[in-house]
Amino acid sequence: MKNDLAAELEFFVLIARHGNLSAAARALDITPPAATKRLSQMESRLGVRLVNRTTRRISLTSEGETYLSHATRILAQLREMEDAVSSSSSELRGPLRVNATLGFGRTTIAPLVSEFARLHPHVEVQVELTDRPVDLVDGGFDMAIRFGALPDQRLNARCLMSNRRFLCASPLYLAQYGTPATLADLAHHRCILHRQNDDAYGIWRFMHEQHNEVMKVQGTLSSNDGDIVLGWALDGHGILIRSEWDLAKYLESGRLKVVLPEFNLPSADLFVYYAGRLNQTARARAFIDFLVERFRRENLSEQTTG
């Protein structure tokens, strides 16, 4: 059982993280009135106002900012202490919060978490899937698993897998509309657009013979979901950018073909990134090592069979 102080600190960190009492109440599985009462009791005991309340959101007062700073540090030290004490045990225990992208999280990370959970049944793994990158500290995550460049160069990271990207289209589309021979030809083709985060819409960037090339493309189909745009390419609706991780089986079967292979696209290497090793728990280190080993094994298997 957690002592009252630790529970109170975690409660306030949740409020600050969500910026909303109702959301914090849902996270704790209590009613909003109960959360409001709990916060009021804290403020009454401390003799200060910790938050400014509005109908929709809350903001921290200067005293609340100070309380949050100390609460975050104390909770990290408590986790570090418990981890140090329990590290002599052969069994890993405690919570592990992981963030990953929607499609890849469902198809690849979730099965790996299932495997890890069998090895370490006392680790409480929480997986949250989001399209947009998250702030690890504010979000309370131990790590995030993402394709492409790191969102914050101050983070630590380990590369799980190299992952090139290609232009591709179905034989059906190429037979009907022809195969582009130059980048300029793309302006006359139907392109399927994958809307990702805040990337410029319809702007494709290439590298060719040490020169950067930028193309503005257009098409009638777009989505923020990678599986949807891949399905449209398979149905013959246009040219798409996808990573080799997604394309491998379709290129092998011939359902998709690489277009303009001499033009290189920015890679989409897979990283697991984390705030730092200073307060990293043994269970977080174990899961990262587990991921590195599993993807290494997968890459070796592909090289052997390829």
Side-chain angles (χ1 to χ4, degrees):
M1 293 290 291
K2 294 178 180 176
N3 62 46
D4 290 342
L5 177 59
E8 201 165 85
L9 296 177
E10 290 191 345
F11 169 65
F12 191 75
V13 169
L14 268 178
I15 292 175
R17 181 187 304 159
H18 290 286
N20 182 297
L21 270 172
S22 296
R26 285 194 298 272
L28 291 169
D29 197 23
I30 60 177
T31 65
T36 301
K37 180 180 179 180
R38 188 171 176 179
L39 176 60
S40 296
Q41 289 173 338
M42 285 179 60
E43 291 179 323
S44 177
R45 181 177 61 81
L46 293 168
V48 296
R49 186 157 50 90
L50 297 173
V51 302
N52 297 308
R53 297 168 177 80
T54 65
T55 54
R56 291 185 174 273
R57 293 190 62 81
I58 62 172
S59 61
L60 301 185
T61 63
S62 60
E63 291 83 2
E65 293 283 1
T66 301
Y67 192 94
L68 176 64
S69 175
H70 285 278
T72 303
R73 175 176 51 80
I74 291 168
L75 287 171
Q77 290 174 340
L78 285 173
R79 286 193 293 269
E80 184 179 7
M81 177 190 69
E82 290 184 346
D83 189 48
V85 171
S86 62
S87 61
S88 58
S89 170
S90 59
E91 290 188 347
L92 296 174
R93 295 178 179 272
L96 179 67
R97 299 195 72 229
V98 180
N99 179 272
T101 53
L102 287 169
F104 189 76
R106 283 193 300 267
T107 60
T108 304
I109 300 303
L112 289 174
V113 168
S114 177
E115 186 180 347
F116 182 81
R118 290 193 186 95
L119 297 173
H120 305 286
H122 298 294
V123 176
E124 306 157 23
V125 187
Q126 304 169 29
V127 178
E128 184 169 318
L129 305 183
T130 56
D131 269 333
R132 290 182 175 275
V134 297
D135 186 304
L136 295 186
V137 177
D138 288 347
F141 292 102
D142 293 286
M143 68 194 71
I145 302 162
R146 294 274 158 179
F147 286 102
L150 299 181
D152 188 337
Q153 295 302 318
R154 293 171 298 179
L155 296 171
N156 293 279
R158 291 180 70 177
C159 185
L160 298 175
M161 177 181 69
S162 60
N163 190 38
R164 295 172 297 171
R165 298 162 78 222
F166 300 98
L167 287 175
C168 63
S170 72
L172 175 65
Y173 174 84
L174 297 175
Q176 185 173 358
Y177 295 98
T179 301
T182 67
L183 286 185
D185 291 343
L186 291 176
H188 309 293
H189 276 267
R190 299 168 182 258
C191 295
I192 300 171
L193 304 176
H194 185 193
R195 298 173 179 265
Q196 292 181 286
N197 303 326
D198 297 319
D199 291 349
Y201 181 68
I203 300 295
W204 287 359
R205 304 179 187 279
F206 302 85
M207 172 67 76
H208 181 60
E209 296 179 350
Q210 305 303 314
H211 296 290
N212 291 315
E213 304 276 356
V214 178
M215 281 297 302
K216 172 67 174 174
V217 299
Q218 57 187 352
T220 57
L221 297 178
S222 67
S223 175
N224 67 336
D225 186 278
D227 291 336
I228 288 176
V229 294
L230 181 58
W232 287 336
L234 290 167
D235 290 339
H237 287 290
I239 298 174
L240 175 69
I241 293 176
R242 266 335 248 174
S243 72
E244 59 183 327
W245 173 267
D246 298 310
L247 293 178
K249 62 182 179 182
Y250 301 111
L251 295 177
E252 186 177 349
S253 67
R255 293 188 64 191
L256 290 174
K257 294 185 178 296
V258 172
V259 175
L260 297 172
E262 67 273 22
F263 292 91
N264 298 317
L265 287 149
S267 64
D269 295 345
L270 182 66
F271 291 92
V272 54
Y273 61 86
Y274 46 94
R277 295 186 65 88
L278 181 61
N279 295 318
Q280 194 177 57
T281 64
R283 53 191 174 273
R285 289 193 296 272
F287 186 63
I288 291 173
D289 290 341
F290 171 83
L291 290 175
V292 170
E293 170 58 24
R294 288 300 182 273
F295 279 101
R296 186 192 67 83
R297 185 187 302 175
E298 178 72 20
N299 290 338
L300 286 177
S301 175
E302 288 182 358
Q303 292 172 12
T304 302
T305 57

